[in-house]
Amino acid sequence: FPELLFEAETELCSVLCCTLLRHCGSSLVSTRSQATASLYSLMRHNCDSESSFARIKVQVIVALSTIGGGQKGGQQLVNPEFLRRSLKTLVNYSQMDESMAGTTFPDQINDLAVNLNTILIDTVKMNKCQEDHYLLLDLMHSIANGYQSSPDLRLAWLQNMAMKHIEFGNHCEAGMCMTHASALVAEYLYLRESCPFLPRGCVAFQEVSLNVLEESAVSDDIISPYSTLSLSVSQSEDAMCTGKLFSESGLVGLLTQAAVLFETVSIV
């Protein structure tokens, strides 16, 4: 059902990628094998239907970023070593797939594996500093800044940071993370189509904090549905604002979360 999985309006693709990645990190060989084969099949179908698998590539990277950044109390939501084995299997599948020989598909699979391994390395680093809240959040901030040219991934890590601040009881800081997320989405919406009832990009939030102007750094990328991902995803068709949060309702939701967090601080 490609029309259900590969259309920008649906979140089914995101949920499916997240679920498959979790199973790719399973300790059970049979589960890991089936999940890896299913993920490869999903990529192939995306490539066949759209002449590339850019959508799946972005969704998989966002999914792993969400899984890795969403762990609590040092608890791993996915086993890095088992997931690395699955990534090697994915690369092997692409190299043995005779129907894709002579195309860029195997190289793109390899690029994806490299990027996912980079996220896994960051996840391991985060696990090692779970007891040092300041060091952990500083690392997450650094990771988020590394995705300045990829709105989907930066938004995912801003949300990860917000959740971690909430876990540590830092509601004001969490509110600022959600404000940055709101500014990022507002920037995209303003550049896509200026509406009189929507904020005029991230500059509309500078009264809250001048730091939100950092989100304007991605303007040249998010004006187009395709641009270059950070961490050398390398294909110019990869950085897409595909998530449901890149919408008017998404912006309202992010602003509401920020307001609730700030209100919590004022009550306390």
Side-chain angles (χ1 to χ4, degrees), residues 26-45:
S26 172
S27 59
L28 298 176
V29 176
S30 58
T31 299
R32 200 164 62 240
S33 177
Q34 292 180 35
T36 304
S38 296
L39 184 58
Y40 183 78
S41 177
L42 186 64
M43 294 175 179
R44 274 295 314 273
H45 278 85

Side-chain angles (χ1 to χ4, degrees), residues 45-228:
H45 278 85
N46 188 200
C47 187
D48 291 340
S49 63
E50 298 184 358
S51 300
S52 76
F53 71 108
R55 185 178 306 281
I56 296 298
K57 185 185 294 186
V58 173
Q59 292 293 349
V60 167
I61 296 177
V62 170
L64 184 57
S65 295
T66 302
I67 294 172
Q71 55 196 358
K72 294 185 178 181
Q75 179 184 7
Q76 290 185 333
L77 300 182
V78 63
N79 187 296
E81 182 55 36
F82 290 139
L83 185 52
R84 286 192 183 94
R85 296 180 187 179
S86 295
L87 294 179
K88 290 181 181 179
T89 302
L90 271 180
V91 174
N92 290 336
Y93 281 160
S94 67
Q95 293 175 344
M96 295 186 296
D97 193 340
E98 295 182 358
S99 63
M100 302 306 289
T103 70
T104 61
F105 186 74
D107 291 334
Q108 292 184 63
I109 291 288
N110 187 68
D111 287 342
L112 174 62
V114 170
N115 281 274
L116 293 178
N117 272 305
T118 300
I119 295 175
L120 285 175
I121 292 173
D122 289 333
T123 300
V124 171
K125 290 179 180 177
M126 288 172 57
N127 285 331
K128 292 181 178 179
C129 58
Q130 286 291 328
E131 299 302 318
D132 190 332
H133 295 177
Y134 293 105
L135 182 59
L136 174 60
L137 289 165
D138 186 62
L139 174 60
M140 296 181 75
H141 181 261
S142 177
I143 294 172
N145 285 341
Y147 290 114
Q148 284 290 119
S149 61
S150 176
D152 289 280
L153 297 176
R154 179 162 174 79
L155 182 59
W157 279 99
L158 286 172
Q159 291 180 292
N160 288 341
M161 289 175 61
M163 294 303 101
K164 191 61 65 175
H165 275 301
I166 292 174
E167 181 184 339
F168 297 152
N170 307 326
H171 294 92
C172 183
E173 288 81 357
M176 289 306 303
C177 288
M178 298 311 295
T179 301
H180 272 261
S182 300
L184 174 60
V185 172
E187 185 81 357
Y188 163 75
L189 293 176
Y190 177 65
L191 291 172
R192 186 183 65 179
E193 183 179 2
S194 179
C195 296
F197 54 86
L198 289 176
R200 296 177 64 81
C202 66
V203 295
F205 298 84
Q206 61 183 335
E207 294 298 326
V208 180
S209 171
L210 289 175
N211 290 333
V212 298
L213 296 179
E214 294 174 359
E215 308 311 326
S216 65
V218 299
S219 298
D220 291 339
D221 296 317
I222 63 177
I223 186 64
S224 169
Y226 302 106
S227 59
T228 304

